[in-house]
Amino acid sequence: MPIATSSMSVSPLSVPAPSKLDFGAKIENASIENMSDDDFALIRDTLYKYQVVVFKNQSGLSPKAQYELTRRFDPSAQGYGHGKTLDAKRSILHPDLKTVPHQPEVQIIGNGFVPEYEGLKNIKLVHPHHKKFHKHAISEEDDLDYTRFYRWHIDAALYDLNPPKVTTLVAVSVPKGRRQTLRYDDKTGEELDVPLGTTAFVSGYNMYNILSDKDKEFVRTSRIEYAAHPYIWMSGAKSRSDGLGLFSDNLELPESELPPIDASKIQVLPMVWKNPVTGQLALQMHPSAIRKIHLANGNVIDDLENVREIVHRLQRPAISPQYVYAHDWEEGDLVLFNNQGVLHSVVGAFREDEVRLFRQCNMAASEGPLGPDAVVG
């Protein structure tokens, strides 16, 4: 039954069989540019109950209004979620994002040549392609018919800055007309039919809920230490074919080749984060940036290959096809997601003439994520 307030209405996303999705909602008749406190209260409540919220027909949404909506979830937040790390040429994020000059918290992502947009001219956008990041790539002849999850992740600097609470994505220009088969290529044979250039989401709450009782106890009582300057540190490493973490081939940069490290800025975060509204527990880890596991008894697992194997085993069941929401983008879509409750991945292989233009915004949170023992309500 849709829930109504003011002119807005909320309804769960329709889920085709055999999907087991239990998250995602659509809000209709929303005026983001002229949002009342009651309207925002409904949006916030919906976000934390459904994790991914879709607004249609938002083509006129300005970068300023997108920023203001994003920041409203955390009014004390300051600055873009990755801070100045995008300035580092060796960062794996550097080629993928352009900054809106008059709204620096908002980034432009996509594919192809854009003559002019929001004060930027002659933009060359590069959609992340798995062949640049995965150890084993799909063949050239299959490239436009098949695709992969590029990198499952949380939007977060994971050094110095707190992980953003929410991310907003606006679809400005969307190429249509073809679909691709997403291959896991991890010996499971699993595949997923996806729209071209989809953004894929999985629920961290489901990722936790489907664990065994023993694994639930392990993740509730363990913490992840992330690498210093993780997106530079991992720049030489290559991903698994399912996009869920990296191979251990000793290709990470040594500390001597990283920017100066302040030990106080290295992040050690809970494996499990609590939803601030529902109290649900989510297994939230960025599998590519992990470095060590801190156990409840004070011991530390610091063998990187072992750390990666443990995390992959814990996370992999929840990215199987029946648990993935692959959003079918239309121009004017605004998607808001709980960055502390879902993982997401870029997907797709575009031709050069297929122009895709999106805006992304997230803000480094004013506080760390809630751990499993936090009190909410």
Side-chain angles (χ1 to χ4, degrees):
M1 177 74 68
I3 305 168
T5 181
S6 180
S7 61
M8 296 196 302
S9 64
V10 177
S11 55
L13 294 177
S14 58
V15 177
S19 174
K20 294 182 179 178
L21 290 180
D22 60 357
F23 67 97
K26 180 168 64 174
I27 295 182
E28 297 183 283
N29 303 317
S31 178
I32 304 299
E33 296 273 352
N34 302 288
M35 188 170 44
S36 69
D37 290 343
D38 286 344
D39 287 345
F40 176 71
L42 175 67
I43 291 171
R44 183 180 184 276
D45 187 66
T46 303
L47 185 280
Y48 284 116
K49 288 181 178 178
Y50 289 95
Q51 319 321 324
V52 175
V53 181
V54 178
F55 303 82
K56 308 297 286 187
N57 305 312
Q58 298 293 325
S59 294
L61 187 70
S62 66
K64 183 175 186 291
Q66 182 182 358
Y67 156 72
E68 288 175 345
L69 170 64
T70 308
R71 189 175 180 189
R72 201 157 179 174
F73 283 86
D74 187 3
S76 298
Q78 296 287 337
Y80 179 56
H82 282 277
K84 297 183 179 300
T85 59
L86 295 182
D87 298 335
K89 303 296 185 186
R90 292 179 296 163
S91 168
I92 61 171
L93 304 178
H94 178 74
D96 302 338
L97 300 147
K98 311 288 184 186
T99 300
V100 174
H102 57 88
Q103 197 67 65
E105 301 84 3
V106 178
Q107 310 298 319
I108 297 170
I109 58 177
N111 183 75
F113 178 73
V114 179
E116 185 173 0
Y117 184 71
E118 294 292 345
L120 293 170
K121 297 183 183 295
N122 300 321
I123 312 169
K124 175 65 174 176
L125 298 173
V126 179
H127 185 78
H129 192 292
H130 80 274
K131 68 183 177 184
K132 295 181 179 179
F133 185 56
H134 289 200
K135 185 174 182 178
H136 307 291
I138 292 172
S139 65
E140 289 292 334
E141 57 267 31
D142 286 345
D143 185 53
L144 294 180
D145 294 322
Y146 296 90
T147 188
R148 296 249 186 91
F149 298 121
Y150 177 72
R151 177 172 58 241
W152 287 106
H153 66 286
I154 304 163
D155 287 336
L158 297 171
Y159 176 79
D160 189 22
L161 302 173
N162 291 317
K165 293 187 177 182
V166 301
T167 293
T168 56
L169 288 170
V170 178
V172 179
S173 178
V174 179
K176 300 294 286 186
R178 57 186 188 90
R179 298 180 69 86
Q180 295 179 309
T181 299
L182 186 148
R183 298 194 332 214
Y184 286 66
D185 285 337
D186 61 355
K187 299 181 180 179
T188 64
E190 290 189 317
E191 294 184 341
L192 185 65
D193 176 65
V194 296
L196 176 65
T198 185
T199 305
F201 299 92
V202 293
S203 166
Y205 304 102
N206 178 64
M207 190 173 281
Y208 173 78
N209 289 337
I210 63 177
L211 294 175
S212 68
D213 289 344
K214 181 179 179 181
D215 282 338
K216 285 179 179 177
E217 175 67 17
F218 175 79
V219 299
R220 281 198 309 269
T221 58
S222 299
R223 294 176 298 152
I224 285 289
E225 179 177 326
Y226 289 95
H229 305 291
Y231 303 101
I232 299 173
W233 170 78
M234 71 174 77
S235 59
K238 295 299 181 182
S239 174
R240 295 173 182 261
S241 296
D242 58 13
L244 193 68
L246 306 176
F247 283 99
S248 296
D249 294 326
N250 295 315
L251 296 175
E252 296 77 21
L253 293 181
E255 288 189 3
S256 61
E257 296 183 28
L258 296 176
I261 296 172
D262 181 341
S264 69
K265 295 180 179 180
I266 292 174
Q267 296 207 333
V268 182
L269 300 176
M271 284 188 173
V272 172
W273 300 359
K274 181 172 282 190
N275 186 300
V277 171
T278 68
Q280 291 175 284
L281 300 181
L283 183 59
Q284 285 293 100
M285 299 180 287
H286 189 316
S288 296
I290 56 178
R291 181 61 190 88
K292 301 177 184 179
I293 296 175
H294 292 246
L295 303 176
N297 63 8
N299 291 338
V300 177
I301 302 174
D302 59 5
D303 177 78
L304 183 57
E305 184 172 10
N306 190 20
V307 170
R308 286 173 171 160
E309 289 299 325
I310 291 169
V311 169
H312 188 269
R313 181 185 66 80
L314 293 167
Q315 291 187 311
R316 174 60 180 86
I319 70 163
S320 286
Q322 67 269 31
Y323 299 124
V324 176
Y325 172 57
H327 184 66
D328 192 354
W329 288 101
E330 295 181 342
E331 291 179 6
D333 282 1
L334 163 64
V335 172
L336 171 69
F337 61 89
N338 174 9
N339 187 57
Q340 297 189 2
V342 300
L343 269 67
H344 66 286
S345 177
V346 171
V347 179
F350 290 90
R351 298 192 303 266
E352 190 170 345
D353 62 346
E354 291 177 315
V355 177
R356 180 183 193 260
L357 178 63
F358 280 47
R359 296 201 313 261
Q360 177 212 67
C361 183
N362 57 61
M363 307 280 293
S366 59
E367 57 191 1
L370 299 176
D373 298 325
V375 177
V376 302

